[in-house]
Amino acid sequence: MEGDHADAVLEYIGANVHRLRVRSGLSQEALAKATGISTGFLQRVERGKTNLGVVILVRLADALGVAPGVLMRRATLPEATVGRPRRSRAKRESSV
């Protein structure tokens, strides 16, 4: 029973990190570098599939410009998609 609640909180953290990262216009690579973690670890955090310590939680919150508690608010993970994300319109137009 305890694991279910902990798993839910990890999913909330992942959903909030993902939402705030996208809203900030940061790539996973950029956020990982800013927090001193690997991109793979950040990907697992965003999917709610790994436990993270307080230090990493605080670093993520600082990099995203929010209080650490904001990352633990109830939120839903976005649907997972297969493949690479589409390039933004601005990037497509600037490369032409």
Side-chain angles (χ1 to χ4, degrees):
M1 195 72 157
E2 289 176 24
D4 294 338
H5 186 242
D7 291 343
V9 172
L10 290 176
E11 288 184 6
Y12 301 158
I13 292 169
N16 284 311
V17 168
H18 176 80
R19 177 181 52 82
L20 292 165
R21 177 183 61 77
V22 170
R23 182 183 292 168
S24 299
L26 292 170
S27 67
Q28 287 180 329
E29 293 82 8
L31 181 57
K33 185 175 181 180
T35 56
I37 61 175
S38 72
T39 303
F41 185 78
L42 177 60
Q43 290 169 344
R44 290 189 301 277
V45 168
E46 286 193 1
R47 289 192 314 266
K49 299 297 182 189
T50 193
N51 195 355
L52 62 153
V54 174
V55 171
I56 300 300
L57 184 75
V58 171
R59 286 183 189 171
L60 285 165
D62 288 348
L64 294 167
V66 297
V70 170
L71 298 182
M72 292 188 276
R73 291 182 183 162
R74 190 176 300 254
T76 305
L77 286 168
E79 278 296 316
T81 56
V82 178
R84 291 180 166 242
R86 295 181 63 187
R87 291 177 67 185
S88 72
R89 182 180 202 139
K91 287 183 182 178
R92 284 192 305 249
E93 290 173 358
S94 67
S95 65
V96 175

